[in-house]
Amino acid sequence: MNCALKLISKSMQINLSFIEKDLHAVGISQSMNGIENHLTKWVQAFAAYVEAEDTHIRLLIDGSLVLDSEIQVLPDILFFLTQIQENVMDKVSETMNVIYEEVEGGILIPRVRNHIIKELISLSVTFSDYSDLVEVLTICHDETKCNEKFIENTSDESVWLKTWIMENSVT
């Protein structure tokens, strides 16, 4: 079993490849509205990921697993993570801007599709780098408890997230 942080991260990375695949089906079995919807859901999953990351890092700090010498470095690390989070969201905005500015009437020409794919790849690389860094910086002490908190409880958000993770996983 993986903790919620890893499950969300893997699903987010897989989802970006699904979005790219769906871009090739626009005009056949997919619409641009569907692509926008996928990106909106990805942003919602990113918010859940950031919340899970924050919980893991706070557990690391509050659980006194941080050495005294590392406490001085911690604000810099937290600031750096925040900067990368903003960079990820900038990549999403850039992708959405291409869609809003270059797609006319829902018609996707190859040049624009390639431009959107380029933006999705940039987003994927940025998020992958970020999630790899988060994985190195965080420790999950109890994966069962972590999953219960983020994806196994009965709140609407958790039910949605669990369903989204299942839809965006490779078995």
Side-chain angles (χ1 to χ4, degrees):
M1 174 188 287
N2 285 324
C3 79
L5 192 65
K6 290 180 184 177
L7 290 172
I8 297 168
S9 173
K10 287 178 186 176
S11 294
M12 291 177 71
Q13 291 171 5
I14 290 168
N15 183 259
L16 288 174
S17 65
F18 288 165
I19 293 171
E20 182 180 341
K21 183 179 166 189
D22 282 352
L23 275 170
H24 293 283
V26 168
I28 301 167
S29 62
Q30 184 66 258
S31 72
M32 283 309 298
N33 288 341
I35 301 298
E36 292 174 42
N37 189 29
H38 286 304
L39 283 169
T40 301
K41 289 180 180 180
W42 192 91
V43 170
Q44 291 170 326
F46 182 66
Y49 180 83
V50 169
E51 182 182 349
E53 171 218 323
D54 186 58
T55 299
H56 282 75
I57 289 180
R58 290 200 189 287
L59 180 64
L60 182 70
I61 297 166
D62 297 340
S64 299
L65 295 174
V66 178
L67 301 174
D68 289 339
S69 62
E70 293 173 330
I71 290 174
Q72 297 167 352
V73 177
L74 198 58
D76 293 335
I77 292 171
L78 295 175
F79 177 76
F80 183 64
L81 287 174
T82 301
Q83 294 296 107
I84 298 174
Q85 290 168 6
E86 290 174 7
N87 194 17
V88 168
M89 288 308 300
D90 287 345
K91 297 294 181 185
V92 173
S93 293
E94 290 168 14
T95 305
M96 293 300 278
N97 285 342
V98 170
I99 292 170
Y100 294 141
E101 293 171 6
E102 295 193 36
V103 175
E104 295 180 23
I107 298 171
L108 184 62
I109 62 173
R111 178 190 62 77
V112 174
R113 177 183 11 251
N114 291 338
H115 193 172
I116 295 169
I117 289 170
K118 176 184 147 272
E119 295 298 334
L120 285 173
I121 291 170
S122 179
L123 170 60
S124 180
V125 168
T126 302
F127 177 74
S128 182
D129 289 347
Y130 169 65
S131 64
D132 287 348
L133 179 62
V134 168
E135 189 172 323
V136 169
L137 293 174
T138 60
I139 298 172
C140 188
H141 298 288
D142 188 348
E143 290 178 354
T144 302
K145 197 174 192 178
C146 179
N147 286 329
E148 287 173 0
K149 179 175 182 173
F150 292 103
I151 56 179
E152 296 293 334
N153 69 49
T154 57
S155 72
D156 289 343
E157 185 176 317
S158 291
V159 170
W160 174 87
L161 186 59
K162 181 179 181 177
T163 302
W164 190 84
I165 287 171
M166 289 180 1
E167 290 170 352
N168 293 287
S169 64
V170 176
T171 55

